[in-house]
């Protein structure tokens, strides 16, 4: 149903993807939000499934060196980013309303940004879990 809606807006359904989104922890979270997250979500039962580890002060550290979650996303205004966590559009690769998503992602900048993201070498990757 959503791909049809996307097409009705003038988009190419082959460029449409649905994925999960969340916000950075702890990069954009207040101390109160971090404490709430740990008290209500993180428990001993889910710890083996977390993609991060943490210390007694609730500082979060990724368990893995590289990123396996690269997923291109188009923001509300057409800006394209390689990461669904980049909700502020910091990694603006172009505008999907003016240029096809394929062209943007296959551009030199798109390929370089994806490569650096997979290696977690972009500034927004620093606190990503």
């Amino acid at each position: 149903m959503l791909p049809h809606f996307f097409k009705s807006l003038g988009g190419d359904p082959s460029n449409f993807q649905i994925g999960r989104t969340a916000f950075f922890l702890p990069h954009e979270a207040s101390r109160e939000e971090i404490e709430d997250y740990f008290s209500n979500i993180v428990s001993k039962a889910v710890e083996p499934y977390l993609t991060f580890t943490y210390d007694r002060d609730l500082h979060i550290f990724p368990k893995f060196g590289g990123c396996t979650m690269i997923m291109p996303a188009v923001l509300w205004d057409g800006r394209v980013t390689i990461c669904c966590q980049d909700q502020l559009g910091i990694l603006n690769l172009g505008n999907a309303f003016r240029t096809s998503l394929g062209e943007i992602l296959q551009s030199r900048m798109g390929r370089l940004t994806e490569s650096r993201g997979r290696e977690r070498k972009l500034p927004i990757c620093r606190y990503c879990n």
Side-chain angles (χ1 to χ4, degrees):
M1 180 141 164
L2 285 174
H4 295 293
F5 176 68
F6 187 66
K7 184 176 182 178
S8 75
L9 295 174
D12 180 350
S14 67
N15 289 337
F16 185 80
Q17 290 184 340
I18 299 173
R20 295 183 301 150
T21 189
F23 67 89
F24 294 100
L25 279 177
H27 189 63
E28 294 178 353
S30 68
R31 184 69 188 172
E32 182 180 316
E33 289 169 323
I34 292 172
E35 289 172 1
D36 184 61
Y37 176 81
F38 276 91
S39 66
N40 291 309
I41 297 172
V42 177
S43 69
K44 294 292 179 194
V46 300
E47 279 189 26
Y49 304 101
L50 297 177
T51 60
F52 60 89
T53 185
Y54 53 93
D55 62 19
R56 294 181 75 160
D57 294 322
L58 305 181
H59 295 116
I60 296 172
F61 310 97
K63 286 183 181 175
F64 311 107
C67 179
T68 59
M69 301 302 290
I70 296 289
M71 176 185 291
V74 178
L75 304 180
W76 66 273
D77 59 358
R79 285 177 294 158
V80 175
T81 179
I82 59 148
C83 179
C84 64
Q85 300 292 341
D86 182 17
Q87 296 174 9
L88 299 177
I90 294 167
L91 300 173
N92 184 6
L93 299 176
N95 192 298
F97 296 157
R98 294 186 208 110
T99 308
S100 77
L101 188 57
E103 282 182 69
I104 293 170
L105 297 175
Q106 292 303 314
S107 70
R108 181 178 176 277
M109 182 58 75
R111 290 190 323 267
L112 177 63
T113 303
E114 182 178 345
S115 174
R116 292 188 70 216
R118 288 202 187 281
E119 296 171 6
R120 297 179 56 97
K121 292 186 177 179
L122 295 170
I124 70 165
C125 301
R126 182 173 176 195
Y127 297 108
C128 186
N129 57 34

